[in-house]
């Protein structure tokens, strides 16, 4: 077995006798934290693969592990796939970098599967264990693999699902308060004594949830930051929260000049670092972390905390029953709904959906999940959407922290907290109802912060008009180099879009369909990595 451990920023690989470990394990019972050689040795004490799985179930944390056990290799990632691992189809190469496997196998960059490239272009990720290359595969979140003699045995040890637990709203909020407290206390144990916490603080609920719980459980020296347009509602809300809690606060303005400099200095290097052939780099926080470091605002041993993707388990993505009118509450309806949600920007051929549907069936079957009513529909969507966009794409926002050398934690992915949300009825979770009431009634009033987040209600008709207007404006403005300024762009990335547009040779990929603004970053990246003919190869899949 050829093991290629390439990514050593923020968290570092520990290697010993052909085994490797990165990140940390934390015992769910007593909160004890294991890192490096100690974590690796504890896992190696497992007598067989079944016991290895049991040990993984007992722990949480952010980790990737490759263990040499006799003639076999046991490989696993945590339940968020925080540090992705990849392996070759012949199971001769394992790496944390898919591109290293591609080079080791002598595969050309343009030897990708066009169907998988379509997935990457449309949805920003390639689902399941696949990458754009047929001979390179990834471990899915909460999954372990035993490789022995060219054979593999795959075992999911954590699935993002739980049996429904019936409780009244008040009881549910009591339970949430207790579990959230445990999650944050264990997060502080994982941070360690004396280290400064850095928290991305937006105007939404998740970072406010974390900030207030950190204050409640004794974290005094927290550095908060926000970025984007100066005086935006995000920036104003972020500053108010930090001031109310007595936390240090920084704002990083995303000006055209700064974005220009970042594009010319750091952007390409970051994209190369974050690239893994199954997801598109997410560089939203890149400039913010870079400037905080340049200001000297970050201690050398700082640890970043993020509320990434907590909106998923709290109910933001749950479809209402009325939205499922034409989708039967069975497996066929669920698969159709999932694929329609994934491929909403550009319609694809039915033959494409039929091929992708097989992957969804296989994923749920492996995890013993079926769809037969509304609640099971929601549970299946929890499991699939977590393994898809959240673990594959949105978690990638944290790559900016490690790119500049800082470790990071995911408090909202505490297993107990996730298990709680998955066990709550869909009716309580939908629209983040229970979550919002907990925040407004139980947590935020203690700090004078019980204000609902700013939202904009958009009807389906208005959404179509908005897409059409953006499409037409882009057709005119981008060729002229005119940034499309808009109030909703709180991160002020309009200028960056214009610059990236100028770098794209295959501009037809941007304007064939209604979407244009979002696809600029994707199209520029795909052209840079895979060449100018990628769009022509996938166009035949469009309906």
């Amino acid at each position: 077995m050829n093991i290629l451990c390439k990514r050593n920023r923020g968290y570092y690989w520990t290697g010993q006798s052909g085994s490797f470990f990165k990140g940390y394990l934390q015992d769910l019972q007593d909160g004890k934290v294991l890192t490096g050689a100690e974590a690796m040795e504890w896992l190696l004490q497992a007598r067989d693969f079944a016991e290895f799985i049991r040990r993984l179930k007992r722990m949480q944390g952010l980790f990737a592990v490759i263990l040499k056990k006799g003639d076999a290799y046991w490989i696993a990632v945590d339940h968020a796939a925080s540090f992705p691992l990849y392996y070759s189809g012949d199971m001769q190469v394992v790496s944390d970098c898919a591109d290293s496997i591609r080079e080791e196998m002598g595969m050309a960059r343009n030897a990708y599967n066009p169907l998988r490239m379509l997935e990457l272009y449309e949805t920003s990720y390639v689902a399941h264990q696949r990458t754009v290359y047929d001979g390179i595969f990834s471990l899915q979140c909460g999954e372990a693999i035993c490789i022995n003699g060219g054979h593999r045995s795959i075992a999911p040890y954590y699935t993002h699902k739980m049996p429904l637990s019936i409780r009244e709203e008040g009881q549910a909020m009591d339970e949430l308060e207790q579990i959230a407290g445990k999650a944050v206390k264990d997060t502080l144990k994982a941070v360690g004594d004396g280290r400064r916490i850095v928290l991305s603080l937006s105007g939404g609920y998740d970072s406010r949830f974390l900030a207030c719980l950190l204050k409640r459980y004794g974290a005094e020296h927290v550095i908060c930051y926000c970025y984007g347009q100066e005086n935006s509602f995000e920036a104003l809300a972020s500053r108010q929260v930090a001031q109310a809690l007595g936390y240090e606060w920084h704002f990083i303005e995303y000006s055209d000049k700064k974005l220009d400099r970042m594009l010319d200095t750091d952007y390409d290097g970051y994209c190369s670092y974050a690239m893994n052939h199954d997801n598109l780099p997410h560089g939203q926080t890149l400039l913010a972390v870079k400037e905080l470091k340049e200001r000297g605002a970050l201690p050398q041993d700082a640890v970043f905390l993020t509320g990434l993707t907590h909106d998923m388990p709290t109910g933001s993505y749950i479809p209402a029953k009325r939205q499922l009118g034409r989708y039967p509450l069975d497996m066929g309806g669920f698969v159709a709904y999932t694929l329609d949600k994934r491929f909403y920007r550009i319609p694809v051929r039915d033959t494409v959906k039929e091929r992708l549907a097989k992957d969804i069936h296989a994923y749920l079957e492996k995890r013993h999940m079926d769809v037969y009513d509304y609640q099971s529909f929601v549970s299946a969507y929890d499991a699939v959407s977590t393994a898809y966009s959240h673990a594959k794409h949105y978690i990638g926002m944290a790559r900016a922290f490690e790119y500049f050398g800082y470790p990071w934690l995911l408090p909202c992915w505490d297993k107990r907290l996730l298990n709680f949300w998955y066990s709550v009825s869909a009716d309580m979770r939908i629209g983040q109802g229970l979550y919002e009431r907990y925040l407004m009634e139980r947590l935020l009033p203690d700090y004078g912060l019980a204000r609902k987040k700013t939202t904009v209600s958009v009807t389906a008709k208005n959404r179509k008009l908005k897409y059409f207007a953006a499409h037409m404006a882009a057709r005119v403005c981008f060729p002229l180099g005119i940034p499309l300024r808009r109030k909703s762009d709180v991160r002020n990335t309009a200028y960056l879009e214009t610059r990236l547009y100028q770098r794209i040779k295959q501009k037809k990929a941007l304007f064939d369909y209604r979407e244009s603004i979002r696809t600029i970053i994707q199209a520029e990246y795909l052209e840079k990595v895979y060449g100018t003919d990628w769009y022509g190869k996938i166009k035949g899949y469009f309906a």
Side-chain angles (χ1 to χ4, degrees), residues 118-139:
L118 169 71
E119 284 190 78
L120 190 61
Y121 172 59
E122 273 246 40
T123 68
S124 302
Y125 61 91
V126 183
H128 306 289
Q129 76 277 19
R130 301 181 187 279
T131 68
V132 296
Y133 298 108
D134 289 336
I136 303 175
F137 303 90
S138 67
L139 274 75

Side-chain angles (χ1 to χ4, degrees), residues 303-314:
V303 180
F304 278 79
L305 262 61
T306 172
L308 275 174
T309 79
H310 196 215
D311 54 344
M312 183 278 304
T314 54

Side-chain angles (χ1 to χ4, degrees), residues 453-511:
K453 64 182 178 181
T454 302
T455 59
V456 179
S457 179
V458 181
T459 65
K461 182 179 179 180
N462 288 340
R463 187 177 292 111
K464 288 183 179 179
L465 290 173
K466 180 181 175 182
Y467 280 137
F468 178 75
H471 175 70
M472 297 309 295
R475 273 181 173 267
V476 174
C477 294
F478 284 123
L480 297 174
I482 301 172
L484 283 173
R485 310 289 184 184
R486 50 203 187 275
K487 287 184 179 180
S488 60
D489 181 22
V490 296
R491 305 304 179 199
N492 199 31
T493 57
Y495 180 74
L496 182 64
E497 293 165 352
T498 308
R499 277 290 314 275
L500 290 174
Y501 173 86
Q502 294 168 349
R503 290 164 50 155
I504 298 171
K505 296 177 183 178
Q506 178 62 277
K507 291 183 170 57
K508 189 173 178 59
L510 304 176
F511 300 129

